[in-house]
mmCIF file with all atom_site columns, all heavy atoms in Angstrom:
data_model
loop_
_atom_site.group_PDB
_atom_site.id
_atom_site.type_symbol
_atom_site.label_atom_id
_atom_site.label_alt_id
_atom_site.label_comp_id
_atom_site.label_asym_id
_atom_site.label_entity_id
_atom_site.label_seq_id
_atom_site.pdbx_PDB_ins_code
_atom_site.Cartn_x
_atom_site.Cartn_y
_atom_site.Cartn_z
_atom_site.occupancy
_atom_site.B_iso_or_equiv
_atom_site.pdbx_formal_charge
_atom_site.auth_seq_id
_atom_site.auth_comp_id
_atom_site.auth_asym_id
_atom_site.auth_atom_id
_atom_site.pdbx_PDB_model_num
ATOM 1   N N   . ALA A 1 288 ? -0.994  25.582 -4.392 1.00 95.00 ? 292 ALA A N   1
ATOM 2   C CA  . ALA A 1 288 ? -0.797  26.756 -3.545 1.00 95.00 ? 292 ALA A CA  1
ATOM 3   C C   . ALA A 1 288 ? -2.085  27.106 -2.799 1.00 95.00 ? 292 ALA A C   1
ATOM 4   O O   . ALA A 1 288 ? -2.057  27.453 -1.608 1.00 95.00 ? 292 ALA A O   1
ATOM 5   C CB  . ALA A 1 288 ? -0.327  27.929 -4.388 1.00 95.00 ? 292 ALA A CB  1
ATOM 6   N N   . TRP A 1 289 ? -3.208  27.028 -3.497 1.00 94.00 ? 293 TRP A N   1
ATOM 7   C CA  . TRP A 1 289 ? -4.504  27.325 -2.856 1.00 94.00 ? 293 TRP A CA  1
ATOM 8   C C   . TRP A 1 289 ? -4.761  26.345 -1.720 1.00 94.00 ? 293 TRP A C   1
ATOM 9   O O   . TRP A 1 289 ? -5.188  26.731 -0.625 1.00 94.00 ? 293 TRP A O   1
ATOM 10  C CB  . TRP A 1 289 ? -5.622  27.249 -3.886 1.00 94.00 ? 293 TRP A CB  1
ATOM 11  C CG  . TRP A 1 289 ? -6.991  27.468 -3.290 1.00 94.00 ? 293 TRP A CG  1
ATOM 12  C CD1 . TRP A 1 289 ? -7.642  28.646 -3.102 1.00 94.00 ? 293 TRP A CD1 1
ATOM 13  C CD2 . TRP A 1 289 ? -7.860  26.440 -2.787 1.00 94.00 ? 293 TRP A CD2 1
ATOM 14  N NE1 . TRP A 1 289 ? -8.861  28.435 -2.511 1.00 94.00 ? 293 TRP A NE1 1
ATOM 15  C CE2 . TRP A 1 289 ? -9.021  27.090 -2.302 1.00 94.00 ? 293 TRP A CE2 1
ATOM 16  C CE3 . TRP A 1 289 ? -7.776  25.054 -2.698 1.00 94.00 ? 293 TRP A CE3 1
ATOM 17  C CZ2 . TRP A 1 289 ? -10.090 26.388 -1.736 1.00 94.00 ? 293 TRP A CZ2 1
ATOM 18  C CZ3 . TRP A 1 289 ? -8.827  24.352 -2.125 1.00 94.00 ? 293 TRP A CZ3 1
ATOM 19  C CH2 . TRP A 1 289 ? -9.967  25.015 -1.658 1.00 94.00 ? 293 TRP A CH2 1
ATOM 20  N N   . ASP A 1 290 ? -4.506  25.063 -1.962 1.00 92.00 ? 294 ASP A N   1
ATOM 21  C CA  . ASP A 1 290 ? -4.747  24.050 -0.938 1.00 92.00 ? 294 ASP A CA  1
ATOM 22  C C   . ASP A 1 290 ? -3.823  24.255 0.256  1.00 92.00 ? 294 ASP A C   1
ATOM 23  O O   . ASP A 1 290 ? -4.249  24.124 1.401  1.00 92.00 ? 294 ASP A O   1
ATOM 24  C CB  . ASP A 1 290 ? -4.547  22.654 -1.533 1.00 92.00 ? 294 ASP A CB  1
ATOM 25  C CG  . ASP A 1 290 ? -4.813  21.564 -0.510 1.00 92.00 ? 294 ASP A CG  1
ATOM 26  O OD1 . ASP A 1 290 ? -5.992  21.323 -0.186 1.00 92.00 ? 294 ASP A OD1 1
ATOM 27  O OD2 . ASP A 1 290 ? -3.835  20.963 -0.025 1.00 92.00 ? 294 ASP A OD2 1
ATOM 28  N N   . ALA A 1 291 ? -2.553  24.588 -0.018 1.00 89.00 ? 295 ALA A N   1
ATOM 29  C CA  . ALA A 1 291 ? -1.613  24.826 1.079  1.00 89.00 ? 295 ALA A CA  1
ATOM 30  C C   . ALA A 1 291 ? -2.075  26.005 1.928  1.00 89.00 ? 295 ALA A C   1
ATOM 31  O O   . ALA A 1 291 ? -1.947  25.987 3.159  1.00 89.00 ? 295 ALA A O   1
ATOM 32  C CB  . ALA A 1 291 ? -0.213  25.080 0.521  1.00 89.00 ? 295 ALA A CB  1
ATOM 33  N N   . ASP A 1 292 ? -2.615  27.036 1.292  1.00 88.00 ? 296 ASP A N   1
ATOM 34  C CA  . ASP A 1 292 ? -3.125  28.192 2.028  1.00 88.00 ? 296 ASP A CA  1
ATOM 35  C C   . ASP A 1 292 ? -4.309  27.800 2.908  1.00 88.00 ? 296 ASP A C   1
ATOM 36  O O   . ASP A 1 292 ? -4.429  28.253 4.054  1.00 88.00 ? 296 ASP A O   1
ATOM 37  C CB  . ASP A 1 292 ? -3.529  29.292 1.049  1.00 88.00 ? 296 ASP A CB  1
ATOM 38  C CG  . ASP A 1 292 ? -3.955  30.566 1.754  1.00 88.00 ? 296 ASP A CG  1
ATOM 39  O OD1 . ASP A 1 292 ? -3.130  31.138 2.486  1.00 88.00 ? 296 ASP A OD1 1
ATOM 40  O OD2 . ASP A 1 292 ? -5.126  30.985 1.581  1.00 88.00 ? 296 ASP A OD2 1
ATOM 41  N N   . GLN A 1 293 ? -5.177  26.935 2.370  1.00 87.00 ? 297 GLN A N   1
ATOM 42  C CA  . GLN A 1 293 ? -6.316  26.467 3.160  1.00 87.00 ? 297 GLN A CA  1
ATOM 43  C C   . GLN A 1 293 ? -5.848  25.674 4.368  1.00 87.00 ? 297 GLN A C   1
ATOM 44  O O   . GLN A 1 293 ? -6.412  25.798 5.462  1.00 87.00 ? 297 GLN A O   1
ATOM 45  C CB  . GLN A 1 293 ? -7.232  25.602 2.292  1.00 87.00 ? 297 GLN A CB  1
ATOM 46  C CG  . GLN A 1 293 ? -7.887  26.339 1.130  1.00 87.00 ? 297 GLN A CG  1
ATOM 47  C CD  . GLN A 1 293 ? -8.740  27.500 1.603  1.00 87.00 ? 297 GLN A CD  1
ATOM 48  O OE1 . GLN A 1 293 ? -9.668  27.328 2.390  1.00 87.00 ? 297 GLN A OE1 1
ATOM 49  N NE2 . GLN A 1 293 ? -8.420  28.686 1.122  1.00 87.00 ? 297 GLN A NE2 1
ATOM 50  N N   . VAL A 1 294 ? -4.817  24.854 4.186  1.00 82.00 ? 298 VAL A N   1
ATOM 51  C CA  . VAL A 1 294 ? -4.280  24.070 5.294  1.00 82.00 ? 298 VAL A CA  1
ATOM 52  C C   . VAL A 1 294 ? -3.702  24.987 6.360  1.00 82.00 ? 298 VAL A C   1
ATOM 53  O O   . VAL A 1 294 ? -3.920  24.783 7.568  1.00 82.00 ? 298 VAL A O   1
ATOM 54  C CB  . VAL A 1 294 ? -3.209  23.082 4.795  1.00 82.00 ? 298 VAL A CB  1
ATOM 55  C CG1 . VAL A 1 294 ? -2.488  22.417 5.963  1.00 82.00 ? 298 VAL A CG1 1
ATOM 56  C CG2 . VAL A 1 294 ? -3.847  22.029 3.901  1.00 82.00 ? 298 VAL A CG2 1
ATOM 57  N N   . ARG A 1 295 ? -2.952  26.029 5.935  1.00 84.00 ? 299 ARG A N   1
ATOM 58  C CA  . ARG A 1 295 ? -2.374  26.967 6.909  1.00 84.00 ? 299 ARG A CA  1
ATOM 59  C C   . ARG A 1 295 ? -3.454  27.650 7.723  1.00 84.00 ? 299 ARG A C   1
ATOM 60  O O   . ARG A 1 295 ? -3.361  27.784 8.942  1.00 84.00 ? 299 ARG A O   1
ATOM 61  C CB  . ARG A 1 295 ? -1.509  28.002 6.193  1.00 84.00 ? 299 ARG A CB  1
ATOM 62  C CG  . ARG A 1 295 ? -0.133  27.496 5.793  1.00 84.00 ? 299 ARG A CG  1
ATOM 63  C CD  . ARG A 1 295 ? 0.767   28.638 5.379  1.00 84.00 ? 299 ARG A CD  1
ATOM 64  N NE  . ARG A 1 295 ? 0.256   29.324 4.195  1.00 84.00 ? 299 ARG A NE  1
ATOM 65  C CZ  . ARG A 1 295 ? 0.584   28.972 2.953  1.00 84.00 ? 299 ARG A CZ  1
ATOM 66  N NH1 . ARG A 1 295 ? 1.390   27.930 2.749  1.00 84.00 ? 299 ARG A NH1 1
ATOM 67  N NH2 . ARG A 1 295 ? 0.102   29.627 1.922  1.00 84.00 ? 299 ARG A NH2 1
ATOM 68  N N   . GLN A 1 296 ? -4.519  28.074 7.034  1.00 82.00 ? 300 GLN A N   1
ATOM 69  C CA  . GLN A 1 296 ? -5.602  28.748 7.740  1.00 82.00 ? 300 GLN A CA  1
ATOM 70  C C   . GLN A 1 296 ? -6.284  27.819 8.738  1.00 82.00 ? 300 GLN A C   1
ATOM 71  O O   . GLN A 1 296 ? -6.729  28.244 9.802  1.00 82.00 ? 300 GLN A O   1
ATOM 72  C CB  . GLN A 1 296 ? -6.633  29.269 6.736  1.00 82.00 ? 300 GLN A CB  1
ATOM 73  C CG  . GLN A 1 296 ? -6.123  30.394 5.858  1.00 82.00 ? 300 GLN A CG  1
ATOM 74  C CD  . GLN A 1 296 ? -7.180  30.881 4.883  1.00 82.00 ? 300 GLN A CD  1
ATOM 75  O OE1 . GLN A 1 296 ? -8.372  30.789 5.155  1.00 82.00 ? 300 GLN A OE1 1
ATOM 76  N NE2 . GLN A 1 296 ? -6.747  31.397 3.744  1.00 82.00 ? 300 GLN A NE2 1
ATOM 77  N N   . THR A 1 297 ? -6.352  26.545 8.399  1.00 79.00 ? 301 THR A N   1
ATOM 78  C CA  . THR A 1 297 ? -7.021  25.572 9.261  1.00 79.00 ? 301 THR A CA  1
ATOM 79  C C   . THR A 1 297 ? -6.162  25.172 10.444 1.00 79.00 ? 301 THR A C   1
ATOM 80  O O   . THR A 1 297 ? -6.660  24.950 11.552 1.00 79.00 ? 301 THR A O   1
ATOM 81  C CB  . THR A 1 297 ? -7.380  24.307 8.454  1.00 79.00 ? 301 THR A CB  1
ATOM 82  O OG1 . THR A 1 297 ? -8.206  24.679 7.355  1.00 79.00 ? 301 THR A OG1 1
ATOM 83  C CG2 . THR A 1 297 ? -8.125  23.296 9.316  1.00 79.00 ? 301 THR A CG2 1
ATOM 84  N N   . THR A 1 298 ? -4.841  25.117 10.239 1.00 73.00 ? 302 THR A N   1
ATOM 85  C CA  . THR A 1 298 ? -3.959  24.564 11.266 1.00 73.00 ? 302 THR A CA  1
ATOM 86  C C   . THR A 1 298 ? -3.281  25.620 12.126 1.00 73.00 ? 302 THR A C   1
ATOM 87  O O   . THR A 1 298 ? -2.710  25.286 13.161 1.00 73.00 ? 302 THR A O   1
ATOM 88  C CB  . THR A 1 298 ? -2.863  23.700 10.611 1.00 73.00 ? 302 THR A CB  1
ATOM 89  O OG1 . THR A 1 298 ? -2.122  24.501 9.679  1.00 73.00 ? 302 THR A OG1 1
ATOM 90  C CG2 . THR A 1 298 ? -3.481  22.522 9.896  1.00 73.00 ? 302 THR A CG2 1
ATOM 91  N N   . GLU A 1 299 ? -3.306  26.888 11.736 1.00 68.00 ? 303 GLU A N   1
ATOM 92  C CA  . GLU A 1 299 ? -2.631  27.920 12.527 1.00 68.00 ? 303 GLU A CA  1
ATOM 93  C C   . GLU A 1 299 ? -3.064  27.955 13.981 1.00 68.00 ? 303 GLU A C   1
ATOM 94  O O   . GLU A 1 299 ? -2.233  28.084 14.874 1.00 68.00 ? 303 GLU A O   1
ATOM 95  C CB  . GLU A 1 299 ? -2.826  29.299 11.875 1.00 68.00 ? 303 GLU A CB  1
ATOM 96  C CG  . GLU A 1 299 ? -1.842  29.547 10.746 1.00 68.00 ? 303 GLU A CG  1
ATOM 97  C CD  . GLU A 1 299 ? -2.116  30.859 10.039 1.00 68.00 ? 303 GLU A CD  1
ATOM 98  O OE1 . GLU A 1 299 ? -3.116  31.529 10.398 1.00 68.00 ? 303 GLU A OE1 1
ATOM 99  O OE2 . GLU A 1 299 ? -1.363  31.215 9.133  1.00 68.00 ? 303 GLU A OE2 1
ATOM 100 N N   . PRO A 1 300 ? -4.370  27.807 14.291 1.00 59.00 ? 304 PRO A N   1
ATOM 101 C CA  . PRO A 1 300 ? -4.761  27.855 15.703 1.00 59.00 ? 304 PRO A CA  1
ATOM 102 C C   . PRO A 1 300 ? -4.316  26.634 16.495 1.00 59.00 ? 304 PRO A C   1
ATOM 103 O O   . PRO A 1 300 ? -4.349  26.660 17.719 1.00 59.00 ? 304 PRO A O   1
ATOM 104 C CB  . PRO A 1 300 ? -6.291  27.904 15.639 1.00 59.00 ? 304 PRO A CB  1
ATOM 105 C CG  . PRO A 1 300 ? -6.616  28.339 14.250 1.00 59.00 ? 304 PRO A CG  1
ATOM 106 C CD  . PRO A 1 300 ? -5.517  27.761 13.409 1.00 59.00 ? 304 PRO A CD  1
ATOM 107 N N   . ARG A 1 301 ? -3.903  25.578 15.824 1.00 48.00 ? 305 ARG A N   1
ATOM 108 C CA  . ARG A 1 301 ? -3.544  24.353 16.522 1.00 48.00 ? 305 ARG A CA  1
ATOM 109 C C   . ARG A 1 301 ? -2.140  24.442 17.112 1.00 48.00 ? 305 ARG A C   1
ATOM 110 O O   . ARG A 1 301 ? -1.324  25.265 16.716 1.00 48.00 ? 305 ARG A O   1
ATOM 111 C CB  . ARG A 1 301 ? -3.616  23.148 15.567 1.00 48.00 ? 305 ARG A CB  1
ATOM 112 C CG  . ARG A 1 301 ? -4.998  22.935 14.979 1.00 48.00 ? 305 ARG A CG  1
ATOM 113 C CD  . ARG A 1 301 ? -4.966  21.730 14.079 1.00 48.00 ? 305 ARG A CD  1
ATOM 114 N NE  . ARG A 1 301 ? -6.268  21.535 13.428 1.00 48.00 ? 305 ARG A NE  1
ATOM 115 C CZ  . ARG A 1 301 ? -6.518  20.570 12.563 1.00 48.00 ? 305 ARG A CZ  1
ATOM 116 N NH1 . ARG A 1 301 ? -5.570  19.715 12.253 1.00 48.00 ? 305 ARG A NH1 1
ATOM 117 N NH2 . ARG A 1 301 ? -7.712  20.449 12.014 1.00 48.00 ? 305 ARG A NH2 1
ATOM 118 N N   . THR A 1 307 ? -0.788  17.467 9.480  1.00 38.00 ? 311 THR A N   1
ATOM 119 C CA  . THR A 1 307 ? -1.803  18.013 8.599  1.00 38.00 ? 311 THR A CA  1
ATOM 120 C C   . THR A 1 307 ? -2.068  17.108 7.418  1.00 38.00 ? 311 THR A C   1
ATOM 121 O O   . THR A 1 307 ? -3.029  17.300 6.695  1.00 38.00 ? 311 THR A O   1
ATOM 122 C CB  . THR A 1 307 ? -1.386  19.394 8.056  1.00 38.00 ? 311 THR A CB  1
ATOM 123 O OG1 . THR A 1 307 ? -0.157  19.261 7.335  1.00 38.00 ? 311 THR A OG1 1
ATOM 124 C CG2 . THR A 1 307 ? -1.181  20.364 9.215  1.00 38.00 ? 311 THR A CG2 1
#
Side-chain angles (χ1 to χ4, degrees):
W293 177 88
D294 181 74
D296 185 60
Q297 296 301 302
V298 171
R299 282 193 297 270
Q300 292 180 28
T301 302
T302 58
E303 278 175 356
R305 300 181 183 178
T311 59

